[in-house]
Amino acid sequence: MKLIHKYNMNGYNIVVDVNGGAVHVVDDVTYRVLDYYEDKKVEDIVGLLAGEFSEDKVREAYEEIEGLVEEGLLYSEDEYEFHPSFVNRQPVVKALCLNVAHDCNLKCKYCFAKQGDFGGKAELMPLEVGKKAIDYLIANSGSRKNLEIDFFGGEPLMN
Ligand code: SF4
């Protein structure tokens, strides 16, 4: 499937070619033309955007998009195929990240976790919940010998 993802951030119009990974910063008219590019002819898009942009601008943006498509930088093919053995495999769990302390005793101003509680209620994971999580990991780990458990927070040593 040929896919793009477009969004606006800090005043920039950003377009990502999902399969190829190319990232473009585009002007307003190109950003709008992309709303219709896949399904409509350029004549129709000119009409649809008549109240926003001149015909010349829309046609110019359309041609630029076509150029990017030809270069494989937009709407590129998805060349990745799942192997049947991967699709049909028995899923296993190999790692857990346990948020054992939804709290922190340091309260750094720059904290990514809003001082440990992520802006919610500060809580510690009960021991029973942690034990059940580990039982679940082992029960669903198939034949794996090495498993991983991360203790996360906040400050995990509070618990
Ligand atoms: S979780 Fe880390 S960054 Fe946040 S307040 Fe605690 S020590 Fe500071």
Side-chain angles (χ1 to χ4, degrees), residues 101 103-118 153-156:
D103 195 4
C104 184
N105 54 345
L106 289 183
K107 314 293 178 201
C108 307
K109 282 188 179 156
Y110 55 79
C111 180
F112 72 101
K114 295 217 167 154
Q115 285 73 52
D117 62 15
F118 295 83
E155 172 46 66

Side-chain angles (χ1 to χ4, degrees), residues 58-124:
V58 171
R59 286 185 180 278
E60 190 183 326
Y62 190 92
E63 281 172 23
E64 282 174 17
I65 293 167
E66 280 187 319
L68 290 171
V69 173
E70 279 167 25
E71 287 178 62
L73 296 172
L74 265 185
Y75 298 105
S76 61
E77 294 284 349
D78 182 3
E79 293 173 352
Y80 188 81
E81 284 180 26
F82 284 109
H83 191 277
S85 68
F86 180 80
V87 175
N88 299 325
R89 80 198 196 290
Q90 266 312 102
V92 296
V93 185
K94 63 174 187 171
L96 277 186
C97 180
L98 300 180
N99 187 10
V100 293
H102 205 70
D103 195 4
C104 184
N105 54 345
L106 289 183
K107 314 293 178 201
C108 307
K109 282 188 179 156
Y110 55 79
C111 180
F112 72 101
K114 295 217 167 154
Q115 285 73 52
D117 62 15
F118 295 83
K121 187 177 164 207
E123 282 187 283
L124 301 180

